[in-house]
């Protein structure tokens, strides 16, 4: 049928946004600023993780330490976590869409962000690995597995 000047765009499939709080978040594992580097490294190995939010006594976010920072500490013979942790932390809020967090992680060239609530208390971690797993499970559900 002639379309009389109308352009036909391909059908766009819009998925409802998945929010950070909808994800199955692993138990929260954190570090305290006064912990030494070897203790933090042990926590990472025992729990098979690469990121630890650093919190105060009330669970409020103070920084982040990653396995990259631990390698850095070893390279410069540093014993104190406060010398290697990053204090200005990029975070995710519980009500944000996961897609937005994926873009944030990409933009800042990091591999994970702590999830915090409005009081800056740590609720968990979301990593690039969690996001790829989510995409794979969505694709599998849609019968698009590769
Ligand atoms: N490409 C690696 C990765 O994705 O983990 C290393 C990137 S970068 C050089 C590593 C630095 O980013 C570390 O000093 C780490 O503390 C910091 N970092 C990691 N996650 C962060 C976050 N959510 N907010 C701020 N800094 C972060």
């Amino acid at each position: 049928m002639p379309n009389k000047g109308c352009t036909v765009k391909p059908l766009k499939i819009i998925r409802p946004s998945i929010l950070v709080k909808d994800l199955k978040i692993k138990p929260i594992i954190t570090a305290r600023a006064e912990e030494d580097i070897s203790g933090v490294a042990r926590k990472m190995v025992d729990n098979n993780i690469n990121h630890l939010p650093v919190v105060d006594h009330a669970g409020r976010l103070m920084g982040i330490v990653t396995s990259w920072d631990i390698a850095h500490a070893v390279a410069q013979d540093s014993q104190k976590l406060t010398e290697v942790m990053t204090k200005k932390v990029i975070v995710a809020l519980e009500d944000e869409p996961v897609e937005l967090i994926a873009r944030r992680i990409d933009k800042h060239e990091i591999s994970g962000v702590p999830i915090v609530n409005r009081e800056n208390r740590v609720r968990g971690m979301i990593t690039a690995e969690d996001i790829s797993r989510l995409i794979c499970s969505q694709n599998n559900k849609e019968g698009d597995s590769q």
Side-chain angles (χ1 to χ4, degrees):
M1 222 169 71
N3 63 20
K4 294 189 183 155
C6 294
T7 51
V8 180
K9 291 188 181 156
L11 181 68
K12 198 171 170 186
I13 297 170
I14 300 170
R15 286 182 185 143
S17 292
I18 296 181
L19 303 182
V20 168
K21 66 180 171 202
D22 299 330
L23 288 180
K24 248 192 254 154
I25 302 295
K26 293 177 209 133
I28 312 172
I29 301 172
T30 56
R32 296 290 297 271
E34 55 275 14
E35 280 183 51
D36 60 23
I37 296 290
S38 60
V40 173
R42 169 58 43 212
K43 263 188 193 172
M44 286 180 174
V45 172
D46 288 349
N47 294 287
N48 192 21
I49 51 176
N50 291 304
H51 310 78
L52 280 178
V54 183
V55 296
D56 69 6
H57 66 284
R60 284 178 298 241
L61 185 65
M62 295 178 67
I64 186 164
V65 58
T66 65
S67 42
W68 188 93
D69 296 312
I70 299 299
H72 186 209
V74 171
Q76 63 176 31
D77 202 19
S78 185
Q79 305 298 319
K80 287 190 170 173
L81 185 53
T82 46
E83 286 170 3
V84 291
M85 71 187 211
T86 301
K87 293 174 187 135
K88 194 167 177 255
V89 188
I90 320 277
V91 298
L93 295 173
E94 294 169 299
D95 289 335
E96 290 185 298
V98 172
E99 199 183 311
L100 184 67
I101 307 308
R103 284 208 218 111
R104 194 170 297 157
I105 286 176
D106 183 46
K107 177 177 165 201
H108 293 278
E109 299 184 351
I110 50 179
S111 50
V113 291
I115 303 163
V116 294
N117 65 14
R118 301 274 164 192
E119 287 83 47
N120 200 33
R121 289 204 164 80
V122 176
R123 316 301 301 160
M125 266 305 299
I126 174 166
T127 65
E129 218 177 308
D130 296 326
I131 295 171
S132 10
R133 227 175 270 129
L134 175 71
I135 293 169
C136 286
S137 74
Q138 277 190 330
N139 286 347
N140 286 343
K141 268 188 216 150
E142 290 170 12
D144 186 25
S145 58
Q146 289 173 15

